[in-house]
Each structure stands twice: as structure tokens, then as C-alpha cells.
Amino acid sequence: MKAIEVRFAKEIDKSFVVFRETGKYFPCPWHYHPEYEFVLVTKSHGRRMVGDHIGYFDEGDLVLMGPNLPHVWVNDESFINGGAAYDADAIVIHFQENFLGKEFINIPEMETLKKILDLSRRGLVIQGSAREKIGKLMVKMMTMNGLQRLAALMSIFDLLSQSQELELLASPGYTPRQEDQLKGPTDRINEYIMLNFHREISLQEIAGVSNMAVTTFCNFFKNQYRCTFIEYLNQVRIGLACKLLANEQNKIVQVAYEVGFNNLGNFNRQFKKIKNMTPREYRKRLDTQLEEDSIFFNEAYIVNE
């Protein structure tokens, strides 16, 4: 899926935009834009794609994305087919780096925030107490006047600057430049994988999406991705499984089925092949290195990459 550039209407009496996105499902396609963006999901659940990251969102999910970072929120099927008991709902803030003047971002008081905004070019999930406090402010901003909204945004910046509970999304090597956007057959291939990785995808099926014969598709895919389609699909699935395994409430067998493996044995084999350890060993390693990883992130998140 080729990301499209979206330009949002600007209001002449406002330096930044706050709006509510509501409906049966979130309608935006895979897209990017020059503004920074906060997205707070107040209702709905599904999958979100940010850069080369694929993850899940639920109520309360809060993400900050930097300029020109491709992204899309895909509601679960019950919302898309009208079976959900309620509409999807989110609150969104758009602002540009120079919305308060070209020198604003460079004043001393903005130093820590500036580093976090740099990291947001990979996408940041905001967690913990900062998510709760920022979420409440975003809800209140919907009924605030101009000066109140500006003060609330400054409070959000302050909370963000102090937070140490931030999760990076897109990989370190991902660069959101327009010339990097996928073109041609890879558009349809990438879109189909991202939206259907959780179920079985046959070679005949994905080749048909690409308008190619199976043999042609296999040769094309290996040339483009330097691996077979099945190998790539398993890498996507195992990558998501690692994130789900970090939550101790997720049972290993549940994770296996959730990311698209139809039996636990195959999940364990593929996981060990890609990660050189079993899912259980991976989870134990997460537990034993939690403190070390936390220290590393606390140092890393305030350093420009």
C-alpha cells in the first residue's frame, strides 16, 4: 500500500488543531503528513501500523508521531462490518514544529521535549501515568477556548518531557521520507501482509493480490525482500509475538494463535529459528533483564539517534 500525503485544513484563528475522529470505524488510509500528531483512542480496538511497526490498539491507547511518518489505524472487523455495539472514537492533535514561531523549539526550556520530538519520528506509545494525565487533558481540550487549549498543550509537553514510560515503534533504520514509500506490486503485497498476517495466507492468494503467477511472485518477492514470502511472514508474526510475550497475562498458546500460527509446535519452531530461543526462554530473559533494559531505555530516550 503506497502511503498518500494528506494535507489538513488549517483554521486561521488557531495555531494548532484538536479534533474528534468518530464513526463506525476510522476512515483514514495508510498516509503521512507534515504535522506532529497525538492520537488518543477513547473507543474501539484493532491494529495500528506506524512506519514498519505492526501492533494492537485498545481504548486508552496514546501515540505521538513525528512528521511524514506513514501510519494507519485499522479497526477490528466488528467495527468495519457494523457489528460493534458502539462507534469508534479518537481525539487527535496536530501541530507543526514552528507553530509558536521558528525559535520556540530552540529555547532552553524545550531541550528535553525537543529530543523526544526527534524520537517521535519513529512513533512513540505513551504509557503509565503520563498516558492517563495526557489523555484527560486531551478530552478536556475538546471544550476549551483558545488560550485554555494552548495552556493544556503546554501541560502535555511538560508531562511528555518528564515521562520515562515511552515505547518506540518503528525500527531504528526506518526513515520516513517520501522517496522511500513503496511503489508498484510491493504496495499491494505489504498492505495484504499487514492486514492479514494473523491468518493463513497461501502463495496462490498473495500471488493473486500481486497479479502474478505463483512462480513469478516467488522470484519477485525473494529479489525484493531477500527471503521467501513464508520466511518474511513468519518474521512479521514473531516480531509481534515478542511484544505480546512481554505481557505476562498473555499465555504462550494464545500468542501463537493471535499472530497467525495454527499450532503451538510450529510457533515454537519458528520462534527458535528466528530468535535462537524458545518463547518461554524469551519471556524468562525479559524478566531477568527487566531492570537492565529499563536503565538502557531511560538513557536512550533522551539522546538523539
Side-chain angles (χ1 to χ4, degrees):
M1 173 170 53
K2 182 180 179 179
I4 65 171
E5 183 176 8
V6 175
R7 294 286 180 168
F8 297 96
K10 294 179 174 60
E11 301 177 59
I12 193 169
D13 62 335
K14 295 178 175 64
S15 59
F16 66 98
V17 179
V18 183
F19 64 95
R20 171 165 261 121
E21 184 78 71
T22 186
K24 290 184 177 180
Y25 56 89
F26 300 136
C28 275
W30 178 243
H31 69 287
Y32 63 97
H33 44 74
E35 295 86 1
Y36 289 89
E37 179 175 20
F38 283 100
V39 178
L40 170 67
V41 177
T42 58
K43 294 180 181 178
S44 186
H45 42 81
R47 294 191 299 277
R48 54 170 153 72
M49 280 75 86
V50 178
D52 60 356
H53 171 86
I54 303 172
Y56 288 95
F57 72 87
D58 207 334
E59 294 182 5
D61 187 64
L62 178 58
V63 175
L64 170 63
M65 293 166 290
N68 300 317
L69 178 62
H71 58 277
V72 66
W73 268 238
V74 181
N75 304 91
D76 281 342
E77 188 175 348
S78 60
F79 290 90
I80 296 173
N81 64 24
Y86 52 89
D87 285 350
D89 188 83
I91 296 174
V92 181
I93 299 175
H94 285 157
F95 64 93
Q96 294 187 329
E97 186 172 282
N98 62 353
F99 80 107
L100 289 178
K102 292 182 179 180
E103 296 304 318
F104 172 71
I105 194 67
N106 295 316
I107 64 175
E109 292 83 356
M110 293 289 287
E111 185 62 28
T112 301
L113 178 65
K114 184 178 180 180
K115 293 172 182 177
I116 295 177
L117 291 179
D118 285 342
L119 284 180
S120 75
R121 295 178 184 274
R122 287 171 53 189
L124 288 171
V125 177
I126 303 166
Q127 301 172 330
S129 60
R131 177 179 66 178
E132 181 180 355
K133 293 175 182 177
I134 292 174
K136 289 180 178 178
L137 280 170
M138 290 179 67
V139 171
K140 291 180 179 178
M141 287 172 77
M142 296 303 301
T143 58
M144 289 180 176
N145 63 34
L147 191 56
Q148 290 173 334
R149 289 196 323 159
L150 180 59
L153 184 59
M154 293 299 106
S155 295
I156 289 173
F157 287 162
D158 180 53
L159 290 166
L160 191 60
S161 298
Q162 298 180 50
S163 177
Q164 297 181 8
E165 298 175 281
L166 307 173
E167 177 190 349
L168 287 162
L169 295 179
S171 60
Y174 187 85
T175 305
R177 297 177 303 199
Q178 185 173 357
E179 59 266 31
D180 291 335
Q181 303 307 315
L182 298 175
K183 299 179 180 180
T186 51
D187 298 349
R188 296 186 293 274
I189 293 170
N190 247 354
E191 177 185 28
Y192 209 80
I193 290 173
M194 288 192 295
L195 297 181
N196 296 280
F197 69 90
H198 58 288
R199 65 172 183 82
E200 183 178 354
I201 306 175
S202 68
L203 282 174
Q204 290 81 3
E205 181 181 355
I206 191 66
V209 170
S210 313
N211 295 321
M212 299 180 190
V214 171
T215 301
T216 303
F217 168 79
C218 290
N219 292 334
F220 171 83
F221 193 95
K222 193 158 189 177
N223 181 59
Q224 293 290 315
Y225 291 83
R226 302 297 187 267
C227 63
T228 68
F229 169 69
I230 297 301
E231 288 171 341
Y232 182 82
L233 181 60
N234 284 335
Q235 290 172 15
V236 171
R237 289 168 169 169
I238 296 304
L240 179 56
C242 289
K243 295 184 177 296
L244 296 177
L245 288 169
N247 185 341
E248 293 181 353
Q249 295 181 349
N250 293 328
K251 296 181 179 179
I252 292 177
V253 65
Q254 292 174 327
V255 170
Y257 285 103
E258 192 165 345
V259 299
F261 290 94
N262 55 16
N263 68 76
L264 184 59
N266 188 32
F267 173 64
N268 287 331
R269 284 192 298 273
Q270 296 300 329
F271 196 101
K272 189 167 186 178
K273 180 180 179 181
I274 293 171
K275 294 297 182 181
N276 294 316
M277 67 184 79
T278 67
R280 195 174 301 278
E281 290 169 342
Y282 178 84
R283 176 168 272 174
K284 286 182 179 179
R285 182 169 295 188
L286 283 178
D287 291 339
T288 56
Q289 294 184 350
L290 181 61
E291 182 176 354
E292 179 181 343
D293 292 343
S294 177
I295 292 172
F296 172 80
F297 181 76
N298 289 345
E299 294 175 349
Y301 97 96
I302 60 172
V303 177
N304 278 328
E305 297 190 345

